[in-house]
Amino acid sequence: MALSPSLQNLSVTSVANGISNTTSRTRRRPSLVVHMATSDTSIGTFEEGRLVRPKWTGHTPISRLVVALISFKPLYSILKLGARQVLISTAEKNNIPWREMAKEILESDAYKELESIRDHSLEYPDYYLNPFHGYDEGNLTWLAAAEAEAATLSMVRRAIPDASSVDEANQILRGNWLQAIEQHHLKYTKTSMINDILDIGCSVGESTRHLAAKFPNAKVTGLDLSPYFLAVAQLKEKNRAPRKHPISWIHANGENTGLPSKSFDLVSISFVLHECPERAIVNMIKEAFRLLRPGGTIALTDNSPKSKILQELPPVLFTLLKSTEPFIDEYYLTDMEATLRQAGFVNIQSILTDPRHMTATATVPY
Ligand SMILES: C[S@@+](CC[C@H](N)C(=O)[O-])C[C@H]1O[C@@H](n2cnc3c(N)ncnc32)[C@H](O)[C@@H]1O
């Protein structure tokens, strides 16, 4: 695995100065700037805000006010509708044909994949059965599965607004995330081999496909709780050119996968944890520790509490966001570094890999 020149210049900050524990309040911290080398897939400078986490999260008065407003059912229904309309119209203005993409999936053969992938004996954790992202049945519907790719691209576009196209934004966001993983693995693993990769919370397979492209010699497995998302992922794979190692898709809970211990070199959990309560975050990190071989790498990528842009999100946007993300406060209050350390990980690092998101990486000791 050759280290690209741009990656050699990527500067990494330790998370040690980062997120405080679950009981502490939002407080001021010195402003920091994380620099990344300029290259085809990196975007210069991602600025950190001055707080430990955004004021609209956690136990602050503004956060509590928004939660109280959202819990008022009639207002929640209006917000849910508003959030959906804003998402779709913003996506389409940004050349992401949301409704067209969803229609194509809904009219495809994805439903034929469902039974080959669904584990009927799987028990869903309670949190997964809540209304979510504006869908009353959460991720357990065809509509959520049909809209997942457009929603993911919109998130990518929001993160990299200066990119010249959605494709470029995707290359930058995913490229920086993969570079952070590669750099960590090369630095801390004796053999630097990546033979087996698990993508927990793979959704319709976007992150899984990026991992497979970056590490073409590895066997890659995508795992998710939604059989609808997995059916779409499997169909998309069937419709593309065959790979040296076909991706495997597993319908399971990332908190307790049932997969053999020490069977992966890399476990990635990307854009999943902000959708989970703290208990599930802790369980998934412990499960990743069990699944990794000694020297193996865990990579978490998600909203950065330190992101200046997220700390300065306008009230309308954070209210809409909180109305569709029921566990966002628990995510922001979870001390990721402590959780990784308590699970047994070492070499814990974190970097802003785009203006909104951090990638935290850590190693299973030998
Ligand atoms: C935003 S999507 C992730 C997107 C994808 N990893 C990417 O980077 O594009 C979050 C996914 O996490 C899945 N998820 C949530 N809790 C899970 C759990 N306990 N086990 C497995 N998957 C879970 C959801 O079904 C959903 O597909």
Side-chain angles (χ1 to χ4, degrees):
M1 191 165 49
L3 196 60
S4 60
S6 62
L7 180 56
Q8 288 162 357
N9 295 329
L10 194 75
S11 78
V12 180
T13 56
S14 162
V15 294
N17 61 351
I19 312 159
S20 62
N21 68 29
T22 47
T23 49
S24 68
R25 302 248 167 170
T26 304
R27 62 186 150 77
R28 300 232 156 221
R29 54 191 296 286
S31 184
L32 268 176
V33 175
V34 178
H35 296 280
M36 296 188 69
T38 306
S39 78
D40 319 349
T41 57
S42 62
I43 55 160
T45 301
F46 307 126
E47 200 172 349
E48 295 187 351
R50 299 179 62 204
L51 304 174
V52 172
R53 67 179 76 87
K55 277 206 199 100
W56 48 268
T57 64
H59 302 306
T60 62
I62 183 74
S63 175
R64 286 175 195 271
L65 176 67
V66 175
V67 170
L69 287 172
I70 293 166
S71 58
F72 180 55
K73 285 269 170 348
L75 186 64
Y76 168 73
S77 304
I78 295 169
L79 284 172
K80 190 178 78 174
L81 213 65
R84 186 170 166 75
Q85 274 164 4
V86 168
L87 268 177
I88 297 176
S89 64
T90 313
E92 292 184 347
K93 266 186 225 143
N94 282 322
N95 296 323
I96 300 162
W98 180 296
R99 284 170 292 187
E100 223 174 276
M101 287 170 78
K103 186 166 178 275
E104 199 180 307
I105 297 288
L106 291 171
E107 290 174 357
S108 74
D109 285 342
Y111 67 95
K112 290 187 186 159
E113 306 293 325
L114 188 63
E115 284 318 309
S116 70
I117 222 147
R118 177 154 54 186
D119 175 357
H120 284 279
S121 67
L122 182 64
E123 276 186 37
Y124 294 102
D126 287 350
Y127 78 87
Y128 202 71
L129 302 170
N130 281 316
F132 188 71
H133 279 176
Y135 305 108
D136 289 339
E137 291 161 278
N139 287 332
L140 294 171
T141 61
W142 281 119
L143 184 61
E147 295 186 334
E149 189 179 352
T152 303
L153 287 176
S154 304
M155 173 279 285
V156 168
R157 196 71 180 102
R158 273 196 302 280
I160 321 279
D162 295 336
S164 60
S165 66
V166 181
D167 274 355
E168 188 182 272
N170 213 13
Q171 288 306 320
I172 292 169
L173 183 141
R174 300 291 184 176
N176 289 351
W177 159 66
L178 290 167
Q179 282 191 354
I181 294 176
E182 184 185 46
Q183 183 186 46
H184 184 101
H185 198 75
L186 282 175
K187 185 166 176 191
Y188 294 111
T189 305
K190 286 180 190 159
T191 64
S192 80
M193 296 296 287
I194 296 190
N195 294 322
D196 296 282
I197 301 176
L198 178 65
D199 185 20
I200 294 182
C202 64
S203 178
V204 293
E206 269 297 293
S207 45
T208 330
R209 280 185 286 277
H210 279 278
L211 287 162
K214 175 79 177 175
F215 304 105
N217 294 322
K219 287 191 209 113
V220 182
T221 302
L223 179 147
D224 205 278
L225 269 175
S226 171
Y228 303 93
F229 286 19
L230 290 167
V232 172
Q234 186 163 280
L235 180 72
K236 280 174 183 281
E237 265 315 276
K238 279 190 180 169
N239 289 344
R240 56 152 278 143
R243 297 177 194 271
K244 180 174 167 195
H245 297 294
I247 297 176
S248 312
W249 307 102
I250 299 183
H251 182 210
N253 184 352
E255 295 177 67
N256 177 18
T257 60
L259 296 170
S261 298
K262 299 186 172 58
S263 50
F264 294 93
D265 304 297
L266 169 63
V267 173
S268 170
I269 308 180
S270 76
F271 302 112
V272 177
L273 299 182
H274 73 279
E275 300 187 356
C276 300
E278 188 186 10
R279 179 191 54 74
I281 296 176
V282 171
N283 288 343
M284 264 187 243
I285 290 176
K286 282 187 185 162
E287 179 67 350
F289 188 85
R290 183 186 73 78
L291 292 170
L292 283 163
R293 299 182 176 117
T297 298
I298 185 174
L300 315 173
T301 194
D302 218 309
N303 292 355
S304 170
K306 298 185 211 165
S307 155
K308 184 169 190 289
I309 288 182
L310 291 180
Q311 288 187 5
E312 293 174 1
L313 218 55
V316 174
L317 291 187
F318 66 64
T319 304
L320 287 177
L321 176 77
K322 285 184 87 148
S323 73
T324 65
E325 301 280 5
F327 302 107
I328 198 89
D329 282 330
E330 286 196 46
Y331 167 76
Y332 275 106
L333 286 169
T334 302
D335 182 339
M336 229 37 96
E337 183 207 0
T339 307
L340 285 163
R341 205 180 324 104
Q342 278 155 18
F345 285 100
V346 295
N347 306 328
I348 300 163
Q349 309 234 295
S350 180
I351 183 171
L352 274 173
T353 37
D354 68 63
R356 289 176 179 236
H357 305 116
M358 60 90 198
T359 298
T361 46
T363 315
V364 171
Y366 286 95

